[in-house]
Amino acid sequence: MSLKLVVVGGGSTYTPELIDGFARLRDTLPIGELVLVDPAAERLELVGGLARRIFAKQGHPGTITTSTDLDASVQGADAVLLQLRVGGQAARDQDETWPLECGCVGQETTGAGGLAKALRTVPVVLDIAERVRRANPHAWIVDFTNPVGIVTRALVSAGHKAVGLCNVAIGFQRKFAGLLGVEPERIQLDHVGLNHLTWERGVRLDGKDVLPELIDGHGEAIAADLELPLSLVRQLGVVPSYYLRYFYEHDNVVAELKQQGSRASKVAAIEKELLTMYADPGLDEKPELLAQRGGAFYSEAAVQLVASLLGTQRGEPSEQVVNVRNDGTLPFLPDDAVIEVPALVDATGARPLPVPPVEPLYAGLIAHVTGYEQLALDAALRGGRDRVFQALLAHPLVGQLDLAEQLTDRLIAHNREHLAWA
C-alpha cells in the first residue's frame, strides 16, 4: 500500500514536526506521495525543502511536492490534513489583544478571540472540504485547525468524511507515561469533554486506573504544568486540561496577559527565526527551536489516526481520543454536537466509546459551551451582528449584555476583511 496525503497549510513552520513523524513512523503510515499546499509560495518552498531533506536523511522513499493549487493537489488523495490559519499570526495577535480591552481573556480558541477565529475559519474550511469532495469523495479529512470542535462540527454537519484531532490527550498520555516510567502505549485515558474543555477522569495503566496514585505522587508536577493550584487538582480528583485555567482563574489570567503581551507576538518571532533556519540547505532535521512553537506530539497522533482511517494496520479498530459527533454519547448534549472522547477508529470512521455519567461540575460547563458553539457555528455560516452578539452572550466567559455588545463591535471591526457579510 502506498498512500497519497495532502497537508493544507503545508507552509506552516510547524510542518517539519509533522514530516518528522511521517518519516519515523513510515511502517505505520506508508506514504508514497505527500503534497504540501499553501498560498504562500515563498514560505512553502522553504518548508518543502526542509521536508524533503528530512525524508532523505531518514531514508523515507516517498516523494514530497509543494503546490499553491488545491484542486489539482487533492486529486487522488487518500487523506487531507487541515492545519491552516486564516489571517495568519497577525489575526491571532488581534484575537489575543482586543478582548483584554474589555477585561476578557484574549486567546485564539477560547472566549471572544476563539469566536473570531471560528468566524474567519469555518467558511474557508467548508470551501476546501467541498473541493476535496468534488475531486475525491472517498478522501478522509482530518482537521487540526482551531477551534477544532466548531470546525469539525461544521464539516460533519455538512456531510464530509471528517474527524477532528487535538494534541492535548496525547500530550497527557506521554506526560503520565513519563511520570510513571512506562511506555505510552500502556496508558489509556478516560478523557471527556469538548475540544479545549476536557478532564482526565481516569488514567489506565494496563487497564488499571492509577489516577489517584498519579495525583498523590506527582500532583505538584501535574499542577505546575497546568498552572493551576495543586489543591484544586486534589479536590477534584481529576486532571483538567490547561485550557480550564481560562475558566477557573479567568481574572488572574487576564491580569497576566495584560502584562505579558500576546502569545502570537512570541510565535511570530519564533517563526521568523525558524524560516531563516529552514532556508539553510544543510539543515535536515527539525530544529530544537520548533518545540517552542507548540503542538507537541501532533505528528504521532496524526499518524495513528490517519493509519486507522485508511486501514493500513489491518486488525481491530484502535482506541484514540478524537473529536467526533456525539450521537447520544453524552446524553445531555444534542446528537450533532462534536465531543472529544476516546473512540474506536477504523476505515469506517470514528465511533465514540461509552462514557460513564459526567458529574454536574463538568457536565454543566460542557453543556454551556456546547450551546455557545452551536450559536458560533450559526454565526460563522450565516453571518450578521446579531448572531455574533448572541454567541458572545451565550459564552460562559462573557454572559453580560454590555460586555457582549463591546466585544461584538471590536470583533467585527478587527475582522471585517475576513467576514463577507461585514
Side-chain angles (χ1 to χ4, degrees):
M1 180 182 288
S2 182
L3 304 172
K4 177 179 179 179
L5 266 62
V6 176
V7 179
V8 180
S12 167
T13 55
Y14 185 74
T15 297
E17 170 68 31
L18 192 60
I19 301 300
D20 179 71
F22 287 161
R24 288 185 290 102
L25 301 172
R26 56 185 173 272
D27 291 339
T28 302
L29 189 66
I31 299 172
E33 181 182 1
L34 179 63
V35 186
L36 307 180
V37 181
D38 203 293
E42 183 177 349
R43 180 182 178 124
L44 181 62
E45 284 310 307
L46 291 178
V47 174
L50 174 57
R52 294 184 192 98
R53 296 192 296 272
I54 291 173
F55 261 31
K57 180 179 182 180
Q58 299 197 31
H60 196 295
T63 62
I64 297 178
T65 59
T66 57
S67 177
T68 58
D69 187 337
L70 174 71
D71 296 303
S73 298
V74 298
Q75 293 286 340
D78 295 289
V80 178
L81 279 65
L82 306 181
Q83 57 170 38
L84 57 145
R85 183 182 293 280
V86 180
Q89 294 296 334
R92 176 181 179 176
D93 185 66
Q94 293 181 357
D95 294 344
E96 295 175 342
T97 302
W98 54 263
L100 295 175
E101 299 169 3
C102 301
C104 290
V105 66
Q107 212 277 330
E108 64 162 340
T109 63
T110 301
L115 176 60
K117 192 172 196 303
L119 297 180
R120 294 193 304 269
T121 304
V122 166
V124 174
V125 166
L126 287 178
D127 175 65
I128 291 170
E130 191 56 45
R131 291 158 72 180
V132 171
R133 180 156 58 186
R134 286 199 301 266
N136 183 4
H138 302 295
W140 278 102
I141 295 175
V142 173
D143 178 61
F144 193 64
T145 297
N146 281 319
V148 168
I150 296 173
V151 173
T152 302
R153 187 170 183 174
L155 288 166
V156 173
S157 296
H160 296 289
K161 290 180 60 178
V163 180
L165 181 64
C166 180
N167 67 319
V168 166
I170 193 171
F172 272 131
Q173 181 202 43
R174 301 305 171 91
K175 173 69 175 180
F176 296 152
L179 292 173
L180 295 169
V182 302
E183 298 81 7
E185 295 73 23
R186 295 174 61 191
I187 297 291
Q188 289 180 307
L189 303 175
D190 293 332
H191 177 107
V192 68
L194 310 175
N195 180 242
H196 289 184
L197 194 85
T198 53
W199 296 263
E200 310 305 327
R201 296 190 298 166
V203 177
R204 287 175 281 130
L205 172 60
D206 301 332
K208 178 189 175 185
D209 185 13
V210 295
L211 180 56
E213 296 97 303
L214 261 174
I215 293 175
D216 286 344
H218 304 280
E220 289 187 3
I222 292 170
D225 277 355
L226 302 174
E227 296 185 40
L228 284 169
L230 173 59
S231 59
L232 174 69
V233 176
R234 285 183 168 156
Q235 180 185 10
L236 296 178
V238 305
V239 178
S241 81
Y242 172 85
Y243 290 89
L244 265 299
R245 186 166 188 259
Y246 297 119
F247 294 83
Y248 293 161
E249 292 199 318
H250 176 271
D251 293 353
N252 289 339
V253 173
V254 168
E256 290 173 9
L257 292 174
K258 285 181 176 179
Q259 295 294 321
Q260 294 173 358
S262 72
R263 167 68 178 163
S265 62
K266 298 179 178 67
V267 170
I270 293 170
E271 288 195 334
K272 183 177 180 181
E273 188 173 349
L274 284 171
L275 288 171
T276 299
M277 299 171 80
Y278 293 174
D280 178 2
L283 183 67
D284 57 5
E285 59 186 12
K286 63 176 184 179
E288 290 185 11
L289 179 63
L290 186 54
Q292 298 179 32
R293 174 67 179 79
F297 307 118
Y298 163 46
S299 58
E300 284 90 340
V303 167
Q304 292 171 11
L305 178 55
V306 175
S308 295
L309 291 172
L310 299 183
T312 64
Q313 304 298 301
R314 293 180 177 85
E316 295 298 315
S318 62
E319 180 178 329
Q320 299 173 45
V321 174
V322 294
N323 285 262
V324 65
R325 185 179 156 101
N326 179 42
D327 282 333
T329 306
L330 301 183
F332 56 90
L333 298 183
D335 285 347
D336 65 345
V338 164
I339 60 176
E340 188 172 288
V341 294
L344 292 179
V345 185
D346 60 18
T348 66
R351 300 174 299 284
L353 288 162
V355 171
V358 180
E359 298 83 351
L361 180 60
Y362 317 127
L365 187 53
I366 291 170
H368 197 160
V369 175
T370 297
Y372 151 75
E373 289 190 346
Q374 183 171 341
L375 292 168
L377 179 56
D378 187 47
L381 294 173
R382 298 200 289 163
R385 186 188 187 280
D386 286 351
R387 294 188 181 92
V388 174
F389 169 78
Q390 289 173 15
L392 286 167
L393 190 62
H395 200 292
L397 296 183
V398 182
Q400 299 179 61
L401 174 62
D402 290 346
L403 196 52
E405 292 279 12
Q406 294 175 47
L407 290 167
T408 297
D409 290 338
R410 283 170 168 78
L411 186 155
I412 294 172
H414 284 283
N415 289 276
R416 203 174 298 276
E417 66 180 295
H418 299 292
L419 305 177
W421 52 268

